[in-house]
Amino acid sequence: MNIAILSGKGGTGKTTISTNLSVITGANYIDCDVEEPNGFIFLKPSQIKREEVKVDYPVVDSSRCTLCGECAKVCQFNALVKTKKDIMLFEKLCHGCHACGIVCKQSALTFGKRIIGTIEEGQYGNLICKRGILNVGEPMAVPVIRRLLKNLPTGTNLIDCAPGTSCNVVSSLQYADGAILVTEPSSFGLHDLKMAVQLVRSFNLPFGVVINKHNIEDDRIQTYCEKENIEILGVIPYRREAAEVYSSGKMIVELPEYKEIFEEIAERLREVFPWNLQ
């Protein structure tokens, strides 16, 4: 029972929707935006447990290496380069696929491990909150995301994906049973929503749209959804008081108007998706 929450672009309020909907529905919160995991700022989970995320990288034994260069040829990511004197490794480009070790006839390659991030898990009331944190300077988030999603809690999980439609989002959607697309009424919002719709449709996932920062004078998102026969799960108005609560690191469901809106979205989820939320 994994529901991915994504947006075609950053800044639409995806994490706001994810965290507040988690509180209202009683679903566990999983933050897969590992390059900027800020959901814990609002949920403030306790009893944090941490686990390091490590990836493999090749280590060349110069006493065995004949500089044949087969390892560099097979590497699709240019992590290995043959020079006149040795085999150079660009470890941050290495995907740990072990292809280089397979083709090395001299068995000159072994594999070490290096830390690229951390998994954290804590409690918010009865909810389990998990997030991945990619170390600064690391270019590949997918190994952290995969480790985070490998052992998900039982029950319903809301997966807060990275913004956009990159491989980080694709990796998260592989674990999803449905999706919520968060958008905003703007030209960029509509443009990137279309890309997100195309992505979730390629996975054959049931999905609906939540319009955040809604302006009653702008109906471009509603018009598009009606044309594409896309379910609108809810509309969240643009209010100064909500921005003030959000900017102070609090949940906007503390405001009665917004609590009612999120309860209505939760009810729509139960109607639209073929499973029951907790």
PDB file of all heavy atoms in Angstrom, residues 12-28:
ATOM      1  N   THR A  12       6.123  23.252  -5.554  1.00  0.00           N
ATOM      2  CA  THR A  12       4.664  23.205  -5.647  1.00  0.00           C
ATOM      3  C   THR A  12       3.997  22.923  -4.302  1.00  0.00           C
ATOM      4  O   THR A  12       2.788  23.089  -4.167  1.00  0.00           O
ATOM      5  CB  THR A  12       4.208  22.122  -6.647  1.00  0.00           C
ATOM      6  OG1 THR A  12       4.662  20.851  -6.196  1.00  0.00           O
ATOM      7  CG2 THR A  12       4.741  22.397  -8.032  1.00  0.00           C
ATOM      8  N   GLY A  13       4.773  22.464  -3.324  1.00  0.00           N
ATOM      9  CA  GLY A  13       4.204  22.126  -2.028  1.00  0.00           C
ATOM     10  C   GLY A  13       4.045  20.638  -1.823  1.00  0.00           C
ATOM     11  O   GLY A  13       3.224  20.203  -1.019  1.00  0.00           O
ATOM     12  N   LYS A  14       4.851  19.860  -2.511  1.00  0.00           N
ATOM     13  CA  LYS A  14       4.756  18.399  -2.437  1.00  0.00           C
ATOM     14  C   LYS A  14       4.971  17.879  -1.017  1.00  0.00           C
ATOM     15  O   LYS A  14       4.214  17.021  -0.543  1.00  0.00           O
ATOM     16  CB  LYS A  14       5.766  17.796  -3.408  1.00  0.00           C
ATOM     17  CG  LYS A  14       5.924  16.294  -3.348  1.00  0.00           C
ATOM     18  CD  LYS A  14       6.917  15.826  -4.369  1.00  0.00           C
ATOM     19  CE  LYS A  14       8.229  16.574  -4.290  1.00  0.00           C
ATOM     20  NZ  LYS A  14       8.919  16.375  -2.987  1.00  0.00           N
ATOM     21  N   THR A  15       5.989  18.393  -0.353  1.00  0.00           N
ATOM     22  CA  THR A  15       6.265  17.939   1.009  1.00  0.00           C
ATOM     23  C   THR A  15       5.187  18.424   1.977  1.00  0.00           C
ATOM     24  O   THR A  15       4.826  17.717   2.921  1.00  0.00           O
ATOM     25  CB  THR A  15       7.655  18.428   1.461  1.00  0.00           C
ATOM     26  OG1 THR A  15       8.652  17.806   0.645  1.00  0.00           O
ATOM     27  CG2 THR A  15       7.913  18.083   2.921  1.00  0.00           C
ATOM     28  N   THR A  16       4.648  19.611   1.749  1.00  0.00           N
ATOM     29  CA  THR A  16       3.531  20.094   2.570  1.00  0.00           C
ATOM     30  C   THR A  16       2.349  19.142   2.473  1.00  0.00           C
ATOM     31  O   THR A  16       1.745  18.770   3.492  1.00  0.00           O
ATOM     32  CB  THR A  16       3.105  21.500   2.126  1.00  0.00           C
ATOM     33  OG1 THR A  16       4.213  22.390   2.224  1.00  0.00           O
ATOM     34  CG2 THR A  16       1.958  22.017   2.979  1.00  0.00           C
ATOM     35  N   ILE A  17       2.012  18.743   1.255  1.00  0.00           N
ATOM     36  CA  ILE A  17       0.902  17.812   1.047  1.00  0.00           C
ATOM     37  C   ILE A  17       1.220  16.473   1.694  1.00  0.00           C
ATOM     38  O   ILE A  17       0.380  15.879   2.389  1.00  0.00           O
ATOM     39  CB  ILE A  17       0.620  17.623  -0.458  1.00  0.00           C
ATOM     40  CG1 ILE A  17       0.381  18.965  -1.149  1.00  0.00           C
ATOM     41  CG2 ILE A  17      -0.564  16.686  -0.660  1.00  0.00           C
ATOM     42  CD1 ILE A  17      -0.723  19.790  -0.572  1.00  0.00           C
ATOM     43  N   SER A  18       2.438  15.974   1.484  1.00  0.00           N
ATOM     44  CA  SER A  18       2.817  14.647   1.979  1.00  0.00           C
ATOM     45  C   SER A  18       2.737  14.561   3.499  1.00  0.00           C
ATOM     46  O   SER A  18       2.153  13.614   4.047  1.00  0.00           O
ATOM     47  CB  SER A  18       4.238  14.303   1.523  1.00  0.00           C
ATOM     48  OG  SER A  18       4.368  14.333   0.135  1.00  0.00           O
ATOM     49  N   THR A  19       3.345  15.522   4.182  1.00  0.00           N
ATOM     50  CA  THR A  19       3.409  15.449   5.640  1.00  0.00           C
ATOM     51  C   THR A  19       2.032  15.636   6.275  1.00  0.00           C
ATOM     52  O   THR A  19       1.654  14.904   7.191  1.00  0.00           O
ATOM     53  CB  THR A  19       4.387  16.498   6.188  1.00  0.00           C
ATOM     54  OG1 THR A  19       4.067  17.790   5.654  1.00  0.00           O
ATOM     55  CG2 THR A  19       5.817  16.147   5.806  1.00  0.00           C
ATOM     56  N   ASN A  20       1.276  16.604   5.792  1.00  0.00           N
ATOM     57  CA  ASN A  20      -0.041  16.854   6.377  1.00  0.00           C
ATOM     58  C   ASN A  20      -1.023  15.722   6.057  1.00  0.00           C
ATOM     59  O   ASN A  20      -1.839  15.352   6.898  1.00  0.00           O
ATOM     60  CB  ASN A  20      -0.592  18.190   5.870  1.00  0.00           C
ATOM     61  CG  ASN A  20       0.085  19.381   6.519  1.00  0.00           C
ATOM     62  OD1 ASN A  20      -0.318  19.838   7.579  1.00  0.00           O
ATOM     63  ND2 ASN A  20       1.136  19.883   5.885  1.00  0.00           N
ATOM     64  N   LEU A  21      -0.911  15.162   4.867  1.00  0.00           N
ATOM     65  CA  LEU A  21      -1.787  14.045   4.506  1.00  0.00           C
ATOM     66  C   LEU A  21      -1.426  12.802   5.310  1.00  0.00           C
ATOM     67  O   LEU A  21      -2.310  12.008   5.666  1.00  0.00           O
ATOM     68  CB  LEU A  21      -1.669  13.765   3.010  1.00  0.00           C
ATOM     69  CG  LEU A  21      -2.778  12.925   2.374  1.00  0.00           C
ATOM     70  CD1 LEU A  21      -4.139  13.558   2.609  1.00  0.00           C
ATOM     71  CD2 LEU A  21      -2.512  12.762   0.876  1.00  0.00           C
ATOM     72  N   SER A  22      -0.148  12.642   5.620  1.00  0.00           N
ATOM     73  CA  SER A  22       0.271  11.522   6.453  1.00  0.00           C
ATOM     74  C   SER A  22      -0.371  11.598   7.837  1.00  0.00           C
ATOM     75  O   SER A  22      -0.856  10.598   8.373  1.00  0.00           O
ATOM     76  CB  SER A  22       1.800  11.521   6.580  1.00  0.00           C
ATOM     77  OG  SER A  22       2.240  10.503   7.447  1.00  0.00           O
ATOM     78  N   VAL A  23      -0.390  12.801   8.413  1.00  0.00           N
ATOM     79  CA  VAL A  23      -0.991  12.986   9.735  1.00  0.00           C
ATOM     80  C   VAL A  23      -2.496  12.717   9.691  1.00  0.00           C
ATOM     81  O   VAL A  23      -3.051  12.048  10.578  1.00  0.00           O
ATOM     82  CB  VAL A  23      -0.712  14.410  10.246  1.00  0.00           C
ATOM     83  CG1 VAL A  23      -1.503  14.696  11.519  1.00  0.00           C
ATOM     84  CG2 VAL A  23       0.776  14.593  10.499  1.00  0.00           C
ATOM     85  N   ILE A  24      -3.159  13.197   8.654  1.00  0.00           N
ATOM     86  CA  ILE A  24      -4.614  13.045   8.562  1.00  0.00           C
ATOM     87  C   ILE A  24      -5.023  11.597   8.306  1.00  0.00           C
ATOM     88  O   ILE A  24      -5.997  11.099   8.877  1.00  0.00           O
ATOM     89  CB  ILE A  24      -5.175  13.967   7.454  1.00  0.00           C
ATOM     90  CG1 ILE A  24      -5.067  15.432   7.879  1.00  0.00           C
ATOM     91  CG2 ILE A  24      -6.627  13.616   7.129  1.00  0.00           C
ATOM     92  CD1 ILE A  24      -5.885  15.808   9.093  1.00  0.00           C
ATOM     93  N   THR A  25      -4.289  10.904   7.444  1.00  0.00           N
ATOM     94  CA  THR A  25      -4.670   9.545   7.059  1.00  0.00           C
ATOM     95  C   THR A  25      -4.106   8.476   7.977  1.00  0.00           C
ATOM     96  O   THR A  25      -4.562   7.332   7.958  1.00  0.00           O
ATOM     97  CB  THR A  25      -4.209   9.232   5.627  1.00  0.00           C
ATOM     98  OG1 THR A  25      -2.770   9.311   5.564  1.00  0.00           O
ATOM     99  CG2 THR A  25      -4.820  10.188   4.619  1.00  0.00           C
ATOM    100  N   GLY A  26      -3.083   8.813   8.761  1.00  0.00           N
ATOM    101  CA  GLY A  26      -2.444   7.801   9.593  1.00  0.00           C
ATOM    102  C   GLY A  26      -1.477   6.934   8.812  1.00  0.00           C
ATOM    103  O   GLY A  26      -1.134   5.827   9.253  1.00  0.00           O
ATOM    104  N   ALA A  27      -1.023   7.415   7.659  1.00  0.00           N
ATOM    105  CA  ALA A  27      -0.075   6.659   6.837  1.00  0.00           C
ATOM    106  C   ALA A  27       1.355   7.002   7.223  1.00  0.00           C
ATOM    107  O   ALA A  27       1.651   8.129   7.635  1.00  0.00           O
ATOM    108  CB  ALA A  27      -0.306   6.970   5.354  1.00  0.00           C
ATOM    109  N   ASN A  28       2.253   6.040   7.095  1.00  0.00           N
ATOM    110  CA  ASN A  28       3.664   6.276   7.371  1.00  0.00           C
ATOM    111  C   ASN A  28       4.236   7.247   6.332  1.00  0.00           C
ATOM    112  O   ASN A  28       3.814   7.261   5.178  1.00  0.00           O
ATOM    113  CB  ASN A  28       4.440   4.963   7.331  1.00  0.00           C
ATOM    114  CG  ASN A  28       3.931   3.950   8.337  1.00  0.00           C
ATOM    115  OD1 ASN A  28       3.704   4.277   9.495  1.00  0.00           O
ATOM    116  ND2 ASN A  28       3.724   2.718   7.898  1.00  0.00           N
TER     117      ASN A  28
END
